[in-house]
Structure formats: structure tokens, C-alpha cells
Amino acid sequence: MLNVGAIRETVNMIREENLDIRTVTMGISLYDCQSDDINRLADKIYDKITTSAERLYAVSRELEKRYGIPIINSRVSVTPISYMAGGLRSVDDCVLIAKTLDRAADTLGINFIGGYSAMVQKGEIDSARLLIDSIPEALSETEKVCSSVNVASTKAGINMDAVRRMGEIVKETSYLTRDRASIGCAKLVVFANVPEDNPFMAGAFHGVGEPERVINVGVSGPGVVAAAIKRAGDCDLTKIAETIKKTAFKITRVGQLVAAEAAEMLGVPFGIVDLSLAPTPAVGDSVARILEEIGLERCGAHGTTAALAMLNDAVKKGGVMASSHVGGLSGAFIPVSEDAGMIEAAAAGSLTLEKLEAMTSVCSVGLDMIAIPGDTPAEVISGIIADEMAIGVVNNKTTAVRLIPAYGHSVGDELSFGGLLGTAPVMAVNMYSPEVFVKRGGRIPAPIQSLRN
Amino acid sequence: MKAVITVVGHDSIGIIAGISAECASYGVNINEITQSVLSDYFVMIMIVDITDMKCDFSEFVDAMERHGRGRGLEIHVMHENIFNSMHEI
């Protein structure tokens, strides 16, 4: 039964508090595109993607109109390209496939396509090695392709050879896209325990156990949560957690509605709703502001990790009942450049890399969209990746690293990417060298927590 | 099936008449109106029945938005499902 109070609340969330559907992502399997001829492989991939998602953009627009809620992005994720092993015999072959994905994204009118990916937590198949080697060139020669590499898992441990290599790959990518604020690095994520149904970029891909096609939806809504906490006023943390839970329930219900309808309209199964609170650089759409609303002078102050842990847990508790299937990353995101409050906190010196690392142990996803000095050595980047992977592996959770070495910039400078990717203040890094540790290579064994049978 | 029409803008003579006529021309029946004027600011929420609507939902959304634009009003139409799913368990 419709009542005016409920209508006002919903309209207010959308118009004043930036509630939106962040992404409707179609996952598409490419297994049936396998071919040992690279041109044939590229053609089949292009055809499969463009026919499968032909109506994706139009359906998003129609749902946006029906419910009056913005659907910010329509995206596609595909089977990790490294599994197209038969056709990939050189770095050039891989780059050709990246360009094919980019072309397919252009045809569909979507803004990102994910799945230029490899899973190497225990070791590399030949095509994964080629794909990783090709990442800098692939990301510099495409606009919409997103890449991810899973280098660790609780079951397999940490592949330190891959961690070392990814430090170098991040640096190379930064250099090759130096004329565009090193933006290639904003489309490259290094993961531990990567989820296979994540709708959010840059880490989205279509996992091996997924159906032929699937619809996954990511909601947003930090502004709605911050406003609800503000309205709750002077109360204790039990009440704050309760307020967050109720708000998360409402946000997620909208995601569930859109996901179910998009799936039906496209004739594709509904996969999951991702419960993540995803900020944007827009004023009033910030996760940092939620933490400040809870009672911190600035994000990064002592108490931030505890407040974030409570926020993350309450979002999940509220969201899980609102959706029939929850998956993906599901937690609060803390991408520095995409969050107005985080940008301010980092620029003010309140938020440091070390504090962000602590925060990632209690929320999704990891060290995300952080600009570091351009002269940071590759081994130091590998050291940062190794630390973050260890947090994920030991705590049975997803962690990720998306760092942007800002070529030609140092601490205090600012990198501007534009759009949803925002602006990143270049943050200080501990430059003492982990070189000997990183160069030892090998694998850090899976922790005792992996033996659960 | 129902929809919710929200209207915000400066108050003037004939706002409700204009919107009602537009609804009628599309076969949309008005069930309920809540309306107020606060310091010359007109705010209205209409709950309408769209079961016998003569066009696509998105066409009606566009028509109402167009109607508002010509008169300095912000008019949005939203399908009832979004309210039901958000506020009912």
C-alpha cells in the first residue's frame, strides 16, 4: 500500500541523497569462442559479446525511466581472457583481443568491459604469462578494457613470483599511459580471493562456474546512509548500526528489483546483487562522510577502522535479507580518488597509506585508487601488494590493490582522471626497500585457515 | 497497476487542472492527491492508476516531463514497484 511518507522518503533518497544503481553488469561466457586461430578467436569474441548484450544499454535506459532512478553504468564482464589459451601465442595476440573487447564495448555503448584477466594464485599457464606481459600495452591502447590478476588465495597462498611481476606491470602501465595521468593503472587490479561474480570494475570478470550469461547488479548509496545517520542525531552506536541496517535494506531492495527486471527483460538469469556502498566524487556521495557523521573529526583519525568495521557489517546485515542472492564484493568501498571525503582526508594528512591498509582488513576491498609517487620502485609496489594479499589470505576475504604510480609527480601533487574515477592526491609511501624479500620469489604457503575440511 | 507522479515548482493557477487533463488524455486515472504550497513553492504527490493507460509507460513519463518543462515544473513519474519493494518486506 502506497503512503505519502514512504513516497517522500524514496524520492528524497534519489533526488537529494544520490541513491542510484551503480552498475548493471552482464557476465558473458566466452568458452564457446575458443579457436587456435587468433583472428577467428577475435571475431567470435566480438560477435558473442555484441549479440549477447545487444539490448543491455537500452534495457537499462528503460528501467531508469520506469523507476525514476539513475542507472549510472551498463557494463559487460567476460571469461578471463587468459583462458582463451589455444589462440594466444604471443603478447601481440593478447593485445589484439584487448582491442577486440574495446571495440565490442564501443558498439554496445557501455563504458567499461572487464575480464582481461588471469588467475595465477598457484602458478601461471602459458597464456596467463603472456596476458600479464601484455597488460601495459593492452591498457595503453584501449579505453574501456579493465584488467585484473588474482595472485593469491586462502587455499593456495601467495604467488610471490606473480606479486613481483605485478609490481613491474603496474609501473610499466603507469609509464605507457603517462600522457593521460597514468590512467591505465586505474583499470588494473591485483586480487587475493577474487570473487567470480563481481559486477564492479575494474575487477569484474565472468567466473568459470557461472552460467552462459548472467545479470549482476551493484547498488550505491553512501549519501543515503550518511543522511540517515545525521537524522538519527545524538544516539549510541547500537542505534547507529540499526539505522545503517535499515537503510541498507531499502537500498538493496531497489537493486534487487532492477536486477530481477533487467534479467527478465533480457532473458538472462539473475545472478547476484552486490551490497557494496560505492562512493563517487560527487558531494554527498562519500563513504568517508559516513564515518565522519558517526563521529570522527576526519576520516583516518583513530577510531576509523572500528567505525568502518561496524558500517561494513551493518550494510551486509541489512542488505542480505533484501536480496535473494548476494555476492560480488559486498562491503563498503574505500577508493580514495572516487570519494570526496577521502580525497580531503588524504590531502589534509589525516588518511595515510598505512591507515588505509588497516581499514582494508575490515571492509571490501583494498588499497583502491591511490596515487603514489611516480618514482616508487617496482619492488616497493610489490611489497604493498604482498601485504594486502596477506590480509586477504589470512582473513579469508577478498583484498585488492589498485595503485597509480603518478609518473612525473611527487607527494602533494594531484592527479585528475575525470568522471567517476575522480581526483587522487599523491600519497607518501614508505620507501625502505623490500627488494630482497620480494626477489626471493616462490610461494608463501596457504595458511592453516585454509584447512577447513 | 499504479504509478506515482511528483510535481515540484513555483505555484501558479491551473497546475492541477493541466496535469489532470494530461493524465485523462492518456487514460490514466487519479486515485489520490496530496498537495501543499510552502512560500510560493508548489509540491504535489499524485497516486494514479495506469491499468488502462493508452501508451507505453516510458511514453507517459516523457509526456509528463514535457508538460512540466513548458510550465517551470519538475514532474517525475515512477512505477509503484520501486516504493513497494523498498518499504515492504
Side-chain angles (χ1 to χ4, degrees):
Chain A
M1 189 58 204
L2 294 168
N3 75 66
V4 172
I7 292 171
R8 282 214 170 112
E9 186 183 352
T10 302
V11 170
N12 207 34
M13 282 181 180
I14 296 169
R15 308 241 178 277
E16 308 294 327
E17 297 163 2
N18 294 312
L19 176 61
D20 56 47
I21 301 291
R22 179 52 48 81
T23 180
V24 175
T25 303
M26 182 186 279
I28 303 170
S29 165
L30 298 182
Y31 283 113
D32 59 347
C33 300
Q34 298 280 10
S35 171
D36 57 5
D37 177 276
I38 183 65
N39 292 313
R40 178 102 183 96
L41 174 64
D43 288 347
K44 285 167 93 172
I45 287 176
Y46 178 83
D47 291 344
K48 176 87 187 265
I49 295 170
T50 50
T51 42
S52 298
E54 194 177 7
R55 292 180 55 239
L56 177 65
Y57 186 78
V59 162
S60 293
R61 297 287 73 76
E62 196 174 331
L63 287 171
E64 189 171 60
K65 201 159 257 187
R66 184 181 304 172
Y67 295 118
I69 185 164
I71 297 176
I72 307 296
N73 300 298
S74 311
R75 294 167 171 174
V76 164
S77 64
V78 296
T79 305
I81 293 301
S82 60
Y83 290 143
M84 302 290 107
L88 304 177
R89 296 205 179 79
S90 67
V91 164
D92 288 346
D93 286 351
C94 296
V95 174
L96 176 72
I97 299 299
K99 289 179 175 170
T100 304
L101 296 177
D102 211 34
R103 199 157 49 87
D106 276 337
T107 304
L108 294 172
I110 59 175
N111 64 350
F112 282 123
I113 183 163
Y116 199 72
S117 306
M119 312 278 279
V120 297
Q121 59 269 27
K122 219 169 194 176
E124 296 169 348
I125 55 174
D126 292 345
S127 53
R129 182 177 43 77
L130 289 173
L131 183 122
I132 290 172
D133 287 346
S134 78
I135 288 173
E137 194 181 337
L139 293 181
S140 70
E141 294 194 14
T142 57
E143 297 278 327
K144 298 176 172 175
V145 174
C146 292
S147 177
S148 56
V149 179
N150 192 69
V151 299
S153 73
T154 301
K155 281 280 178 199
I158 306 174
N159 178 349
M160 285 300 291
D161 294 318
V163 168
R164 176 185 172 184
R165 184 74 185 118
M166 287 314 295
E168 295 161 358
I169 294 290
V170 169
K171 281 280 279 190
E172 284 171 43
T173 306
S174 157
Y175 179 75
L176 288 185
T177 54
R178 63 192 179 283
D179 55 338
R180 286 169 283 157
S182 300
I183 198 165
C185 296
K187 294 179 279 180
L188 172 58
V189 197
V190 185
F191 273 108
N193 292 324
V194 67
E196 305 205 354
D197 54 3
N198 159 29
F200 285 104
M201 297 296 168
F205 65 82
H206 187 70
V208 289
E210 297 286 312
E212 193 67 31
R213 298 174 190 80
V214 73
I215 286 291
N216 298 321
V217 164
V219 291
S220 178
V224 181
V225 175
I229 294 172
K230 197 183 186 89
R231 276 194 298 273
D234 183 18
C235 61
D236 70 5
L237 291 169
T238 307
K239 175 86 191 300
I240 296 280
E242 210 50 36
T243 304
I244 297 168
K245 260 163 65 178
K246 284 180 184 156
T247 311
F249 175 85
K250 290 173 184 172
I251 294 172
T252 310
R253 289 294 271 192
V254 180
Q256 168 77 21
L257 172 72
V258 168
E261 296 223 4
E264 198 186 320
M265 288 164 80
L266 289 161
V268 167
F270 157 59
I272 55 99
V273 173
D274 188 313
L275 300 182
S276 298
L277 279 185
T280 69
V283 174
D285 207 15
S286 154
V287 169
R289 294 280 182 253
I290 300 176
L291 303 174
E292 291 169 4
E293 201 59 62
I294 292 174
L296 303 166
E297 184 183 1
R298 235 189 231 294
C299 180
H302 292 295
T304 298
T305 309
L308 181 59
M310 184 187 75
L311 168 68
N312 199 53
D313 182 64
V315 165
K316 287 182 205 166
K317 285 173 178 164
V320 78
M321 190 174 154
S323 174
S324 47
H325 298 285
V326 169
L329 298 164
S330 283
F333 290 172
I334 50 170
V336 175
S337 78
E338 299 173 11
D339 185 308
M342 299 265 174
I343 295 169
E344 251 182 60
S350 169
L351 189 60
T352 61
L353 203 56
E354 285 73 14
K355 189 64 182 175
L356 279 160
E357 185 182 308
M359 290 159 73
T360 64
S361 64
V362 299
C363 80
S364 74
V365 157
L367 295 171
D368 198 13
M369 290 302 286
I370 298 168
I372 57 173
D375 61 359
T376 309
E379 306 81 51
V380 172
I381 296 174
S382 294
I384 297 171
I385 294 172
D387 284 345
E388 196 56 35
M389 298 302 105
I391 290 173
V393 164
V394 171
N395 294 299
N396 251 312
K397 76 185 285 291
T398 305
T399 48
V401 173
R402 182 161 53 148
L403 292 178
I404 302 125
Y407 187 83
H409 292 276
S410 49
V411 177
D413 292 350
E414 216 170 56
L415 272 193
S416 184
F417 308 110
L420 282 179
L421 296 174
T423 304
V426 178
M427 295 176 74
V429 171
N430 179 338
M431 290 290 188
Y432 284 102
S433 179
E435 187 177 351
V436 176
F437 166 68
V438 167
K439 286 194 171 162
R440 283 180 190 273
R443 270 195 293 145
I444 295 181
I448 195 75
Q449 290 90 318
S450 67
L451 301 174
R452 302 184 74 180
N453 293 338
Chain B
M1 259 193 318
K2 289 182 178 163
V4 172
I5 304 176
T6 57
V7 184
V8 181
H10 278 289
D11 194 21
S12 65
I13 293 169
I15 294 182
I16 298 182
I19 292 170
S20 305
E22 195 82 15
C23 286
S25 73
Y26 284 96
V28 170
N29 189 33
I30 297 170
N31 286 165
E32 198 180 325
I33 298 181
T34 309
Q35 175 253 307
S36 61
V37 179
L38 278 175
S39 46
D40 282 350
Y41 223 59
F42 177 91
V43 181
M44 177 167 73
I45 295 172
M46 280 174 127
I47 299 172
V48 298
D49 192 323
I50 53 170
T51 315
D52 298 322
M53 190 165 58
K54 293 175 193 158
C55 62
D56 279 350
F57 191 78
S58 54
E59 203 179 310
F60 181 60
V61 174
D62 288 339
M64 294 308 286
E65 270 181 24
R66 241 186 347 260
H67 179 89
R69 263 201 302 277
R71 291 161 182 80
L73 298 168
E74 216 178 290
I75 305 183
H76 296 285
V77 186
M78 298 159 80
H79 195 282
E80 67 167 333
N81 283 357
I82 189 167
F83 304 101
N84 293 338
S85 49
M86 195 185 260
H87 298 283
E88 282 174 20
I89 293 179

